[in-house]
Amino acid sequence: MLLSLVLHMYSMRCVLPAAVLLGTAPTYVLAWGAWRLLSAFLPSHFYQAVDDRLYCVYQSMVLFFFENYTGVQILLYGDLPKNKENIIYLANHQSTVDWIIADILAIRQNALGHVRYVLKDGLKWLPLYGCYFSQMYLVIFPEGTRYNPELTKVISASQTFAAKEGLAVLKHVLTPRIKATHVAFDSLKNYLDAIYDVTVAFEGTIDDKGQRKEAPSMAEFLCKECPKIHIHIDRIDRKDVPEEQARMRRWLHERFEIKDKLLIEFYDSLDPERRNKFPGESVNSKLSLKKTLPSLLILSGLTAGMLMTEAGRKLYVKTWVYGTLIGCLWVSIKA
């Protein structure tokens, strides 16, 4: 009985983060909506500055749970970001936690409020957040879907396509697609400083037979089932990226060949000393509570204050209901 209780409590460790992250959503949306209305007659840069700040507050709270709460160790390799830059972030895709990795790097450059994502079309229907996320860009996962070693048909189809196209067949990543990367680069090339080619590996995803397992889901990650994240960064100057689509396609595939070699070293190296890490020196990067705790206290406090009064509770529920409906309507109109 005691063992059963312990196991149940262990499985519930993700409930608190999920409750806070979802529970504060109406508060964030109300703050954003109020500023959107107040700034309607102001120059756009006023709106953008505060919008970025609000977004930074919410994302900082998210990182409190994904870094400070879980206690995960972040190990950085390669070209470590130092100064804030205008970038396109290209990464391998294997988990629902992947978008958090972009935030993990951005907060270390004081650029968290400026991160935007290319997301699957279906995610625009998310309650409250959908219409907001549907406007975001810059963080791109060129594989288009998550790599899961258990989905052998998806991997086989990807490898077959690469072979037919005369491209290198990849083992630990899927064949990248060019469209989103090319559109983003072509639209933003005059404003970009660089592309960050990011390769991510979650430690603890190799089974007893030495085979790669599925990467942790958000729930598993928040249950502290991932001890370390290994992040390798290659900074590529904007001028070194080919602009013509056919040449960029070849360049992108070559970048994923490099990712694949890094991941083969991480998962399959015959030398145990070289396994479970990327080549080169790593930096253990710990995120200070000063970066995240204030945001948690602000949003949680405002939400708790709203829920303490009847009028506040009604506003809270209406925000969930009407905010979701208006967001879906807006997305439908734009489609």
Side-chain angles (χ1 to χ4, degrees):
M1 174 110 177
L2 180 59
L3 178 60
S4 176
L5 178 61
V6 170
L7 291 174
H8 179 68
M9 290 178 66
Y10 179 84
S11 66
M12 295 290 285
R13 287 190 296 177
C14 67
V15 172
L16 174 62
V20 174
L21 293 174
L22 291 174
T24 55
T27 307
Y28 174 74
V29 170
L30 281 171
W32 174 77
W35 173 241
R36 185 72 173 173
L37 291 173
L38 288 171
S39 63
F41 301 103
L42 297 175
S44 61
H45 66 272
F46 281 101
Y47 162 73
Q48 194 62 57
V50 177
D51 178 59
D52 287 347
R53 186 57 195 163
L54 287 172
Y55 186 67
C56 182
V57 168
Y58 186 81
Q59 293 290 62
S60 296
M61 182 186 68
V62 170
L63 286 178
F64 169 82
F65 289 108
F66 280 89
E67 288 207 54
N68 301 119
Y69 175 80
T70 62
V72 65
Q73 187 177 355
I74 306 297
L75 295 170
L76 303 178
Y77 304 75
D79 302 323
L80 305 186
K82 295 178 181 178
N83 303 316
K84 188 187 297 185
E85 295 187 290
N86 295 323
I87 68 156
I88 291 176
Y89 170 108
L90 298 177
N92 56 316
H93 192 19
Q94 56 193 315
S95 168
T96 49
V97 182
D98 287 336
W99 65 278
I100 300 292
I101 308 300
D103 290 349
I104 284 173
L105 292 183
I107 198 170
R108 286 161 170 78
Q109 288 181 277
N110 295 315
L112 187 58
H114 306 286
V115 178
R116 301 293 185 263
Y117 313 92
V118 169
L119 299 175
K120 282 187 176 180
D121 189 62
L123 293 178
K124 66 187 180 185
W125 301 106
L126 283 171
L128 286 185
Y129 292 121
C131 67
Y132 192 57
F133 277 167
S134 70
Q135 303 175 64
M136 297 180 181
Y137 59 98
L138 287 185
V139 175
I140 302 174
F141 302 107
E143 290 160 283
T145 191
R146 293 192 296 273
Y147 177 98
N148 182 346
E150 297 177 6
L151 299 179
T152 54
K153 289 184 178 180
V154 174
I155 296 171
S156 178
S158 174
Q159 293 174 339
T160 300
F161 174 80
K164 285 182 179 179
E165 294 294 314
L167 301 169
V169 174
L170 307 174
K171 180 180 180 181
H172 284 293
V173 291
L174 301 177
T175 302
R177 304 174 185 181
I178 187 58
K179 185 176 179 180
T181 305
H182 182 261
V183 169
F185 185 84
D186 190 58
S187 301
L188 302 169
K189 59 188 177 184
N190 294 328
Y191 307 97
L192 288 176
D193 297 308
I195 284 182
Y196 288 2
D197 184 9
V198 179
T199 307
V200 179
F202 297 94
E203 194 163 312
T205 53
I206 301 176
D207 63 22
D208 295 335
K209 298 179 181 179
Q211 299 298 309
R212 183 178 175 183
K213 301 188 298 183
E214 183 179 3
S217 66
M218 274 198 181
E220 290 168 338
F221 192 92
L222 289 170
C223 283
K224 308 182 181 182
E225 295 186 14
C226 178
K228 298 178 183 178
I229 303 176
H230 300 257
I231 306 172
H232 188 280
I233 307 146
D234 275 333
R235 183 191 181 279
I236 303 163
D237 196 272
R238 178 185 61 82
K239 69 178 186 298
D240 296 326
V241 181
E243 297 186 17
E244 196 270 324
Q245 185 167 337
R247 292 182 60 226
M248 183 181 284
R249 182 191 184 203
R250 175 68 63 176
W251 171 86
L252 182 62
H253 196 85
E254 289 172 354
R255 296 308 312 176
F256 269 71
E257 287 182 61
I258 294 171
K259 289 180 183 298
D260 203 42
K261 290 176 182 177
L262 287 170
L263 292 169
I264 287 172
E265 182 88 352
F266 188 93
Y267 292 113
D268 305 330
S269 177
L270 297 177
D271 183 355
E273 295 296 321
R274 298 170 65 179
R275 211 175 299 144
N276 281 321
K277 61 182 180 181
F278 290 130
E281 295 295 322
S282 65
V283 173
N284 182 11
S285 180
K286 185 174 178 58
L287 186 62
S288 169
L289 275 172
K290 294 179 181 178
K291 293 273 192 178
T292 60
L293 186 58
S295 296
L296 172 68
L297 296 176
I298 290 169
L299 285 172
S300 298
L302 290 173
T303 303
M306 188 189 308
L307 294 175
M308 288 177 67
T309 66
E310 184 177 354
R313 288 191 291 271
K314 288 181 178 179
L315 178 61
Y316 183 88
V317 173
K318 287 180 179 179
T319 302
W320 265 115
V321 175
Y322 294 116
T324 299
L325 292 175
I326 292 170
C328 289
L329 179 62
W330 175 250
V331 168
S332 299
I333 292 171
K334 288 186 67 179

